[in-house]
Amino acid sequence: MGARRLRLTARGTALLTLGGAALVAGVLLGVTSLVQVGLLLVLTVASSVGLLHLQARDQARGALHLTRRVTPHPVTEGDPATVEVALTRDRTGRTAPRLDRLEIAERAARELSGGGPLRARVSRERHALRLTYAISPTVRGRWGVGPVQLHRADPFGVARWSGPLGEPALVAVRPRTTPLSITSSAMSSDADRVVLGARSPSPDDTALRDYRAGDDLRRVHWPTSARRGELVVRQDERSGRRPASVLLDLPADADAGEWSIRLAASVAVALVGSGHHVRLLGGDVLDAARDHHRPDATGAAVAALLDQTVDLTMPVDAAERTAWLRTAVDTLQADAGGSELVLALVGELDDETLGALARTGETTHGWAMVRTAETAEPLATAAAERTAQSLSRAGWAVCLVRVGEDLAACWERLLGSDDRAVMSR
């Protein structure tokens, strides 16, 4: 936040210097008129400074009211949005300035402007002032705007006050998603109902999850609870669609990470659109994703999933990346009840993590896209090939994807992998 500052203008400095000189000369020479002129100039400067000080004090006491609105909000990266700042005056403030004489400015993060200048439009009235400017965010995340910077001058132009008003705000920028279709012949075959979009073969059409305080004991699934040694409850799926988890393995590289987030978000949105209850697992915001989001007509499930991606960050090193992924895999293993779909986007994995992920196929129905570097030649490195082959042997439908390629192409390649993996189990 900028500092408050009260300073004399060049005119004010000149008047104060001239007034002081006239006052001293008048006293020394005994010229009354010269003393009067000097006093007048000094008092003019002093009264102007005093007025600005009182106005600043009134502002601190709430004489000016600030509201800021971003439309639409949250914003999608690459889409334009409008920021409107409205400043109104409490008319009971005796020294509050006329707002049509104020100068106003606001800064925004470079990520909201694409690195270019922001052009604002200001509309002024005596008791209201509005600042409007367009933003076009280019990077997912939360980016700052504000605080508003005010500049005011006294009526004589001898002093200026500058300072902030209000608090800065954060604009949430969601990742851009690509429409993906899950209506594919590979996903509607009668040879095996364990496919995306298919009805659950479970007779009670439920998934299982860990018991939580407050759950109805009538929903406890006793056979599974006895086998695991801990309580699990049925999680009803009224739509008949399998619950689905999108597992995201975030790399340390920022470009690869942003591409991965866009792909995972696109998959999650597509699954919600087809009627699945979906959650997104991975990264450092796992606590927000323990439960599945239920699709509804208002789009709340899609909004919740996209909002979760806003705060995702990249791991600082390989150890943190592995820890995040293992936490997500552990959640899958703890909550899976035998009918959940898992769609994983992972990179090259070490043996321990790969083994843990592969074992989730025992209680879930897994689909995986194995990520390779953008410059990988051929398509996959040996480590990525090993990861893909291990998951495929464990019963997953697997395909290789390259960082930066078209998201729809990655998705279609995964659907095509069904004939080689899921349908052969």
Side-chain angles (χ1 to χ4, degrees), residues 270-293:
L271 289 170
V272 170
S274 68
H276 293 276
H277 294 199
V278 182
R279 62 180 174 179
L280 178 63
L281 300 175
D284 56 343
V285 290
L286 182 62
D287 290 343
R290 184 125 186 141
D291 293 324
H292 294 79
H293 298 287

Side-chain angles (χ1 to χ4, degrees), residues 88-271:
T88 56
R89 169 187 171 186
D90 183 355
R91 302 189 187 188
T92 62
R94 296 181 180 180
T95 60
R98 288 178 50 174
L99 297 187
D100 55 356
R101 293 177 178 174
L102 281 179
E103 296 178 15
I104 184 173
E106 179 164 86
R107 292 184 177 181
R110 291 176 59 86
E111 290 82 1
L112 296 177
S113 64
L118 292 174
R119 292 180 171 83
R121 184 177 68 254
V122 180
S123 60
R124 303 173 183 272
E125 300 175 9
R126 184 180 180 89
H127 299 292
L129 186 152
R130 285 178 175 80
L131 174 72
T132 306
Y133 59 96
I135 58 174
S136 184
T138 56
V139 183
R140 173 201 58 85
R142 296 187 189 272
W143 309 108
V145 294
V148 165
Q149 292 291 326
L150 294 183
H151 306 276
R152 61 167 66 97
D154 69 287
F156 302 108
V158 301
R160 289 181 63 84
W161 180 92
S162 300
L165 176 65
E167 298 293 330
L170 293 176
V171 177
V173 181
R174 293 170 171 171
R176 175 168 292 282
T177 59
T178 297
L180 302 177
S181 172
I182 65 171
T183 57
S184 168
S185 58
M187 292 191 176
S188 59
S189 172
D190 291 333
D192 189 340
R193 299 295 287 172
V194 185
V195 290
L196 289 177
R199 298 287 176 175
S200 171
S202 174
D204 58 359
D205 200 18
T206 62
L208 302 179
R209 62 169 173 81
D210 290 342
Y211 174 84
R212 297 169 193 161
D215 283 338
D216 190 342
L217 290 177
R218 290 174 296 182
R219 298 175 59 196
V220 172
H221 194 270
W222 295 110
T224 303
S225 298
R227 185 172 66 254
R228 293 189 181 182
E230 57 184 10
L231 290 179
V232 294
V233 296
R234 292 186 300 273
Q235 182 169 282
D236 296 332
E237 299 300 321
R238 297 179 183 176
S239 65
R241 299 285 188 183
R242 300 177 183 279
S245 291
V246 178
L247 183 68
L248 175 60
D249 169 30
L250 284 172
D253 180 74
D255 291 338
E258 293 300 331
W259 179 86
S260 299
I261 290 172
R262 286 192 288 270
L263 178 53
S266 298
V267 171
V269 170
L271 289 170

Side-chain angles (χ1 to χ4, degrees), residues 38-110:
L39 284 173
L40 178 62
L41 294 178
V42 171
L43 287 175
T44 298
V45 174
S47 62
S48 296
V49 170
L51 175 63
L52 292 180
H53 176 74
L54 291 174
Q55 290 178 347
R57 188 182 66 178
D58 269 6
Q59 174 183 317
R61 293 177 175 177
L64 298 180
H65 304 285
L66 176 73
T67 57
R68 184 186 288 105
R69 182 176 62 181
V70 181
T71 308
H73 191 258
V75 192
T76 299
E77 59 179 344
D79 288 349
T82 301
V83 180
E84 181 180 288
V85 179
L87 186 62
T88 56
R89 169 187 171 186
D90 183 355
R91 302 189 187 188
T92 62
R94 296 181 180 180
T95 60
R98 288 178 50 174
L99 297 187
D100 55 356
R101 293 177 178 174
L102 281 179
E103 296 178 15
I104 184 173
E106 179 164 86
R107 292 184 177 181
R110 291 176 59 86

Side-chain angles (χ1 to χ4, degrees), residues 347-349 354 370-372 380-389 400:
E348 303 164 355
L349 303 179
L354 179 56
V370 179
R371 180 182 56 237
T372 63
T381 63
E385 286 279 10
R386 180 177 60 83
T387 299
Q389 291 172 0
L400 295 166

